[in-house]
Amino acid sequence: MRHIIKKMFYGMIILIAFTYISIFIFSIPTSYKWEIKSGRIVSNYPVSMILKRSNSIFVSLLEFNIGENIKGKSLVELLYRASGKTALLLSASITIALIFGILKGIIDSNKGKKSSSSLKILTSILPISLPDVLIAAIMQGFAIWLNQKGIHIFKVAGSKTISHSFLPIIVLSILPAFYIARITALAVEECFKKHYILAARGKGCSSHRILWNHVMRNAIRTIVEGLPNTSSLIISNTLIVEYVFSYPGLTTALMNHITMRDARSSAIIIILIGFIYFALNGLFGLINMIIKRSYRGEAV
């Protein structure tokens, strides 16, 4: 329990520091610059004023006084709609990535055999090496081609219907899915080398029972330990996916407010995205801790 409280405390410190740094960066005027006068380096805008502005915004956020954006629209309503869209995108893509990635990893593993398929491994490594923008462009082109052929499965841009969300969800889940597949394949192969697998085979256990009752029960720990890396991968790719498909989520709202030079609103949106990232990491960390404790209990 003390370890959990300690991790939560450090997480809160990091989140607070991230929040203030984000506010400070967006509080710097766009015209801010350094000049050399009389042999001294001076700024055209006092740092004390930037700090004062940052402190004011930080305190207002602590008081949950979000207010309006530069155009006078309620920032709370805007963030509520955008965060709902992004939450749908993230939750669906993570679910798909987990299901597809674990199944693909099991298929890719050699399952204790001496020979392995290079083609299976290549199909997992190749998508990870492709740029995110290229994957989004390929999938968008494929969707346009389907629509031209009269197959209207995917809507190319927007979010008016649930069909508009299919393509962004699929694109966002591709990289983490193949990342999880590679982790799963390696974990499964490592488990098949253990002595308890040889013992299970000696007792006449079927391949299906060995895989699900012995191998996957132990491989799941390795898979869960790699989940925090997938959360950072998904969050970083969300900006690209929402922009390419004109999906009105948080990162699209961020780009719109940066374009409007609304520093305060941009800082708030950045903080909310950061909070989602820390929340995902915390969730995966909690799942990892629960699984580790369950295995310790079984060992005892």
Side-chain angles (χ1 to χ4, degrees):
M1 187 65 182
R2 186 180 297 176
H3 178 68
I4 299 173
I5 295 174
K6 189 176 180 181
K7 289 192 73 173
M8 289 178 63
F9 176 73
Y10 285 136
M12 286 297 296
I13 291 176
I14 293 172
L15 181 60
I16 291 170
F18 171 79
T19 300
Y20 190 85
I21 291 171
S22 300
I23 293 171
F24 180 83
I25 291 172
F26 280 99
S27 296
I28 300 173
T30 55
S31 60
Y32 183 82
K33 62 181 180 179
W34 294 91
E35 297 176 343
I36 300 177
K37 293 183 179 180
S38 303
R40 296 176 58 190
I41 299 176
V42 295
S43 61
N44 64 337
Y45 194 87
V47 177
S48 59
M49 293 297 294
I50 299 175
L51 287 171
K52 186 177 180 180
R53 184 181 179 187
S54 302
N55 294 338
S56 176
I57 296 174
F58 186 74
V59 170
S60 67
L61 290 182
L62 291 177
E63 295 173 348
F64 296 98
N65 181 21
I66 297 178
E68 300 176 340
N69 64 7
I70 201 172
K71 289 188 175 181
K73 295 183 179 179
S74 173
L75 200 55
V76 175
E77 293 181 8
L78 189 149
L79 292 179
Y80 179 78
R81 291 193 300 268
S83 59
K85 297 290 185 182
T86 299
L88 170 65
L89 190 62
L90 291 175
S91 58
S93 60
I94 290 172
T95 303
I96 292 173
L98 279 171
I99 296 171
F100 177 83
I102 291 174
L103 293 177
K104 178 73 165 60
I106 293 171
I107 295 171
D108 289 351
S109 63
N110 55 25
K111 300 178 183 65
K113 300 175 184 177
K114 293 184 179 180
S115 59
S116 59
S117 174
S118 299
L119 181 61
K120 290 180 180 179
I121 298 173
L122 184 63
T123 55
S124 291
I125 295 176
L126 185 61
I128 298 175
S129 62
L130 293 176
D132 311 327
V133 178
L134 180 60
I135 293 175
I138 290 172
M139 291 300 296
Q140 191 176 48
F142 177 66
I144 293 172
W145 179 80
L146 287 177
N147 288 331
Q148 290 175 345
K149 297 296 181 180
I151 305 173
H152 302 286
I153 301 175
F154 304 112
K155 301 294 183 181
V156 178
S159 66
K160 293 182 180 179
T161 65
I162 191 65
S163 299
H164 288 86
S165 303
F166 289 160
L167 203 55
I169 289 171
I170 292 172
V171 173
L172 190 59
S173 64
I174 287 176
L175 289 181
F178 284 100
Y179 178 82
I180 293 172
R182 192 65 194 134
I183 293 176
T184 303
L186 293 174
V188 169
E189 289 172 8
E190 188 63 30
C191 287
F192 266 106
K193 297 176 184 178
K194 302 297 182 181
H195 294 296
Y196 56 80
I197 300 299
L198 297 175
R201 283 175 173 170
K203 292 178 181 179
C205 293
S206 65
S207 299
H208 182 271
R209 184 175 180 180
I210 290 173
L211 176 62
W212 294 107
N213 287 17
H214 298 280
V215 174
M216 289 308 298
R217 286 184 73 254
N218 291 278
I220 197 69
R221 286 182 292 182
T222 305
I223 298 169
V224 172
E225 287 174 359
L227 288 182
N229 293 328
T230 63
S231 65
S232 59
L233 188 66
I234 288 177
I235 291 294
S236 62
N237 291 340
T238 302
L239 174 60
I240 297 172
V241 170
E242 289 189 353
Y243 178 77
V244 170
F245 295 104
S246 300
Y247 191 83
L250 283 174
T251 56
T252 301
L254 173 63
M255 294 303 297
N256 291 338
H257 284 84
I258 290 176
T259 304
M260 292 188 293
R261 296 185 178 182
D262 189 343
R264 185 178 181 276
S265 299
S266 299
I268 292 172
I269 297 171
I270 280 281
I271 292 164
L272 184 54
I273 294 172
F275 178 80
I276 293 173
Y277 170 76
F278 284 112
L280 274 178
N281 269 348
L283 176 62
F284 292 145
L286 180 62
I287 295 172
N288 187 26
M289 184 190 66
I290 293 171
I291 290 176
K292 282 184 177 179
R293 285 198 171 186
S294 67
Y295 277 92
R296 286 176 189 169
E298 290 179 7
V300 172

